Amino acid sequence: NHAVSDLANCGIYIVSSDVIKMTKDRGCCDFSKDIFPEMLSKNMKISAYCTESYWCDIGDLSEYRRCVRDFLDSKIALPVEIPNDGITSYSDIGISSSVSFIPPVYIGQNVKISGDCSIGPYAVIENNSVIGQRTRIKNSVVSSSVCIGEDCDITGCVIADSCTLGNDCTVL
């Protein structure tokens, strides 16, 4: 078999209840290999929209981190601007003056970062998170409402919502 196009099948599918019924009792199925061919064989309508816009499959953590990196590098048009200094912060009050930021960095709302921390490069700390003293975070996403203790090293990770990490943790 050879490809009939250089287009990729990705995105959001809007399907009828008839198509949903086709997926039942199949266990695992693939739209491009299983469902679309069956739809074509039944002369069901299939439509597509081609775009040159940015698209990223976030189906695994490494791809998710790559998309976050693209966001921090301003490769994605979102309603959040990364300024020239590479540091976007919505939390001025709870951040110690002794925190070292290495751009690019995104800090959400109501984030508290204690003294002598190093944040970045490529670090995202989402809303309502608390970071303990002397913690280092780089190439990572800290999701909402996370509490990270003192003297931690977080590198190349995605920390899920509402997680708590104690003191002296290393997460790679």
Side-chain angles (χ1 to χ4, degrees):
N1 290 341
H2 68 281
V4 295
S5 170
D6 63 353
L7 300 176
N9 169 26
C10 63
I12 300 167
Y13 301 129
I14 301 171
V15 298
S16 69
S17 58
D18 291 336
V19 175
I20 297 297
K21 289 175 189 171
M22 293 168 58
T23 66
K24 289 188 177 190
D25 301 323
R26 286 186 186 235
C28 185
C29 65
D30 182 291
F31 267 78
S32 63
K33 293 179 183 172
D34 303 317
I35 303 302
F36 292 156
E38 185 175 339
M39 289 174 69
L40 290 171
S41 73
K42 293 180 177 181
N43 292 321
M44 295 174 77
K45 184 178 178 181
I46 297 176
S47 299
Y49 173 77
C50 293
T51 181
E52 298 291 323
S53 299
Y54 180 91
W55 188 266
C56 182
D57 178 2
I58 57 171
D60 64 55
L61 291 177
S62 65
E63 286 299 307
Y64 174 71
R65 284 195 320 269
R66 184 176 66 81
C67 290
V68 168
R69 190 179 192 104
D70 287 350
F71 158 68
L72 290 171
D73 284 337
S74 299
K75 293 180 182 176
I76 305 170
L78 293 175
V80 175
E81 186 175 322
I82 304 295
N84 289 337
D85 68 359
I87 300 168
T88 299
S89 177
Y90 295 99
S91 296
D92 294 330
I93 297 171
I95 298 176
S96 169
S97 61
S98 65
V99 173
S100 172
F101 290 107
I102 306 162
V105 171
Y106 174 88
I107 308 295
Q109 296 178 355
N110 196 35
V111 171
K112 293 177 178 42
I113 305 176
S114 298
D116 300 318
C117 289
S118 176
I119 309 297
Y122 295 100
V124 170
I125 302 175
E126 295 183 13
N127 299 343
N128 305 309
S129 292
V130 177
I131 312 300
Q133 292 185 42
R134 297 174 302 281
T135 288
R136 292 156 301 283
I137 300 172
K138 64 181 177 180
N139 298 312
S140 295
V141 176
V142 175
S143 299
S144 296
S145 302
V146 169
C147 183
I148 298 177
E150 298 178 354
D151 300 301
C152 295
D153 280 305
I154 312 297
T155 302
C157 299
V158 176
I159 308 296
D161 287 353
S162 302
C163 282
T164 297
L165 301 178
N167 296 336
D168 299 307
C169 289
T170 299
V171 184
L172 303 172

